[in-house]
């Protein structure tokens, strides 16, 4: 699995610590981590939590990433921004039990974490425990076990509803504020990671046009 980490500007200083905790847990599982930044509060290219959502949607819809780890001060803004878009199902995760139940019940492809609120002693341990429970085995298996069938049914219903309530990704890319979009894809390592992993030529061509 390709796991992308995205940090916005208010919590960018914690990127290295978050990335380290993520890699420590998931690399032994055979997953790859791609750190899309921000890498520090002083990065030339600044990301807002809204742009986190844009970038997450591009990566998932282009199949350049399979899972997104993002967040902001409370995690709420990043979660809301991600869920605006098609092909993104993002949960707000505070602790390991949240992570486990989101993976097993909701079977999403993105999480938003609070990187300021409640982020004190032991924060890096909490992150590790969250990532362990999030990527523990196959997701979507249900919890508790007597709720497996209705939970899986509801997930399929939600997926179908999102297809109706969301525009397709190319329509969004063409109509969204182009400077906002360009800012979301102008990070230091975006082109290196994205174009090497993108599996959607139409999205890739449009992003090249935006960056030109």
């Amino acid at each position: 699995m390709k796991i992308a980490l995205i940090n916005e500007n208010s919590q960018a200083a914690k990127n290295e610590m978050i990335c380290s905790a993520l890699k420590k847990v998931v690399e032994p599982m055979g997953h790859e981590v791609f750190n899309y930044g921000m890498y520090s509060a002083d990065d030339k290219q600044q990301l807002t939590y809204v742009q986190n959502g844009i970038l997450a949607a591009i990566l998932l819809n282009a199949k350049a990433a399979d899972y997104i780890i993002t967040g902001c001060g409370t995690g709420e803004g990043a979660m809301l921004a991600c869920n605006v878009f098609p092909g993104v199902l993002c949960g707000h995760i505070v602790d390991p039990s949240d992570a486990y139940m989101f993976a097993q019940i909701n079977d999403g492809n993105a999480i938003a974490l609070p990187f300021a609120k409640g982020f004190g002693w032991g924060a890096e341990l909490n992150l590790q425990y969250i990532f362990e429970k999030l990527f523990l085995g196959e997701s979507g298996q249900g919890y508790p076990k007597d709720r497996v069938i209705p939970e899986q049914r509801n997930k399929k219903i939600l997926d179908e509803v999102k297809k109706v309530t969301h525009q397709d990704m190319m329509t969004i890319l063409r109509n969204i504020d182009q400077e906002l979009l360009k800012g979301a894809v102008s990070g230091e390592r975006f082109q290196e990671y994205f174009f090497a992993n993108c599996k959607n030529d139409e999205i890739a061509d449009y992003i090249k046009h935006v960056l030109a």
Side-chain angles (χ1 to χ4, degrees):
M1 183 185 294
K2 293 182 175 67
I3 302 171
L5 172 62
I6 308 171
N7 281 110
E8 47 77 64
N9 49 19
S10 78
Q11 304 304 311
K14 297 170 183 169
N15 173 266
E16 184 177 351
M17 183 264 282
I18 299 163
C19 188
S20 177
L22 179 60
K23 286 184 174 182
K24 182 177 181 178
V25 173
V26 304
E27 287 186 340
M29 299 176 178
H31 304 311
E32 292 181 271
V33 174
F34 295 87
N35 187 356
Y36 280 84
M38 294 172 52
Y39 306 103
S40 75
D42 299 323
D43 281 11
K44 179 180 179 181
Q45 184 56 48
Q46 299 279 309
L47 289 174
T48 65
Y49 72 76
V50 177
Q51 289 172 313
N52 281 17
I54 296 170
L55 182 50
I58 290 170
L59 296 178
L60 290 171
N61 282 276
K63 301 188 185 307
D66 303 302
Y67 212 100
I68 303 295
I69 306 295
T70 188
C72 54
T74 65
E76 300 286 4
M79 180 270 291
L80 292 170
C82 284
N83 284 323
V84 164
F85 294 95
V88 186
L89 187 59
C90 182
H92 180 258
I93 305 301
V94 175
D95 58 37
S97 63
D98 281 348
Y100 181 77
M101 287 187 279
F102 176 67
Q104 297 307 320
I105 298 171
N106 307 111
D107 194 19
N109 55 11
I111 65 165
L113 295 156
F115 292 131
K117 184 177 183 291
F119 206 84
W121 280 11
E124 77 285 358
L125 297 177
N126 190 50
L127 285 177
Q128 290 177 33
Y129 301 151
I130 284 173
F131 297 144
E132 287 171 2
K133 294 301 182 183
L134 186 66
F135 297 109
L136 178 67
E138 184 179 357
S139 64
Q141 300 306 296
Y143 179 84
K145 293 305 179 184
D146 62 347
R147 293 289 301 163
V148 171
I149 293 175
E151 286 170 358
Q152 291 177 338
R153 181 173 62 242
N154 286 335
K155 170 58 165 56
K156 291 176 182 177
I157 292 171
L158 179 60
D159 288 343
E160 292 303 312
V161 168
K162 284 174 70 71
K163 290 178 183 178
V164 176
T165 60
H166 287 76
Q167 300 183 69
D168 68 276
M169 196 63 199
M170 285 306 304
T171 299
I172 292 170
L173 292 177
R174 293 189 182 103
N175 288 283
I176 200 169
D177 182 289
Q178 297 297 283
E179 285 303 311
L180 187 67
L181 173 59
K182 185 174 183 179
V185 297
S186 295
E188 181 181 339
R189 296 188 178 97
F190 173 82
Q191 296 189 50
E192 174 189 351
Y193 292 158
F194 177 74
F195 293 116
N197 292 293
C198 178
K199 295 180 176 63
N200 186 307
D201 292 340
E202 189 175 15
I203 292 178
D205 288 343
Y206 193 80
I207 296 302
K208 288 177 182 175
H209 164 73
V210 170
L211 291 169

